[in-house]
Amino acid sequence: MPSRRPPRGPPLPPGSSAVSASSSSLASSAQPVAGSEAEAPRTCLRSASRNRPGTSSSTGSAGGEVGQVSRRSVSAGPAARRPSTGGVQSNRKLVRNALERYCLKGDANKAQRDQILQAFDTDLRGYDRFVILFRSIHTGRHDFRALYGYQEGTWVRVVQALPSPPLLEERMVAQCLRYDSGGKEFKEVPALTELLNVADAVFLLPQHLQRSKIVMQ
């Protein structure tokens, strides 16, 4: 007996098969596009996770550079600053003027003046603050006895014409004076705290001075 073939459906309208084919081809061609668009956010998220701090080597290296810059800035800061002088202002030019034109003026003091000024300009270049010690408060005359320089919070003797204490302390001071370069004279400083920080010259109490022959150091 011959096999029966399945009944055929009604004939398709003209052009319907082309439409179906084109629809299926469009659908199949659109799927990869949709798939690529769906994959794009995941790719961005992975990139973002790689760029989060601590998860990427590039971020870690950038953080290291910032740290190095900060450490370099901190270490370079103090080295660039000038050492502190404890708030004491320089009077170097004023004291040199006082020595040359007032304390040691005249032909009689020329040898001593030249010797002290030479030491002032060479050996004592590291000092910015000075105090002149006068000979005796009993006479009241402004005769040069010694010169002190400020060094690391201490007044040290740097030149002497008569025996003088190696260190100068405020408890030893009887009178403080400042030099007026315009009037070429010394004027007494009113009683204030830290007198040596504003004085250019001093008289000492007699008990802190030795009686001896002239020396020059």
Side-chain angles (χ1 to χ4, degrees):
M1 176 183 288
S3 61
R4 298 178 58 182
R5 295 181 180 178
R8 295 182 179 179
L12 294 176
S16 59
S17 60
V19 172
S20 300
S22 61
S23 298
S24 60
S25 62
L26 287 175
S28 60
S29 61
Q31 288 178 358
V33 175
S36 62
E37 291 177 353
E39 291 295 329
R42 290 195 294 270
T43 304
C44 293
L45 288 174
R46 286 196 296 269
S47 300
S49 66
R50 287 197 298 269
N51 292 332
R52 285 200 301 267
T55 61
S56 171
S57 59
S58 61
T59 303
S61 63
E65 290 177 2
V66 173
Q68 291 174 1
V69 170
S70 299
R71 288 193 293 271
R72 285 197 297 268
S73 299
V74 172
S75 63
R81 292 196 298 266
R82 186 176 180 178
S84 174
T85 58
V88 178
Q89 296 181 353
S90 174
N91 66 343
R92 181 180 181 86
K93 183 177 180 180
L94 193 68
V95 167
R96 192 189 190 286
N97 191 7
L99 291 172
E100 181 180 11
R101 302 183 182 183
Y102 184 88
C103 301
L104 301 173
K105 65 180 180 180
D107 294 338
N109 297 318
K110 185 179 186 308
Q112 187 181 31
R113 179 176 67 248
D114 293 344
Q115 183 179 358
I116 292 177
L117 292 180
Q118 181 180 3
F120 192 92
D121 295 337
T122 56
D123 301 336
L124 305 180
R125 287 180 297 179
Y127 295 88
D128 288 327
R129 184 79 192 183
F130 296 90
V131 168
I132 300 171
L133 174 60
F134 290 136
R135 183 170 298 184
S136 174
I137 195 172
H138 293 306
T139 63
R141 296 175 55 182
H142 299 159
D143 297 329
F144 179 82
R145 185 184 187 103
L147 182 66
Y148 291 81
Y150 187 80
Q151 182 182 48
E152 298 180 356
T154 305
W155 293 94
V156 297
R157 186 187 65 207
V158 293
V159 176
Q160 68 174 353
L162 290 171
S164 305
L167 300 177
L168 184 62
E169 302 178 16
E170 289 200 6
R171 62 180 180 83
M172 305 162 59
V173 175
Q175 187 180 37
C176 289
L177 304 100
R178 297 200 67 177
Y179 182 64
D180 179 5
S181 58
K184 294 183 180 180
E185 60 179 346
F186 282 92
K187 298 180 180 180
E188 184 177 357
V189 177
L192 297 171
T193 58
E194 299 182 357
L195 287 173
L196 291 177
N197 292 345
V198 298
D200 300 318
V202 295
F203 284 106
L204 293 189
L205 297 170
Q207 61 266 32
H208 298 293
L209 297 174
Q210 300 176 6
R211 296 180 180 179
S212 180
K213 62 181 181 179
I214 297 177
V215 295
M216 192 63 196
Q217 293 180 349

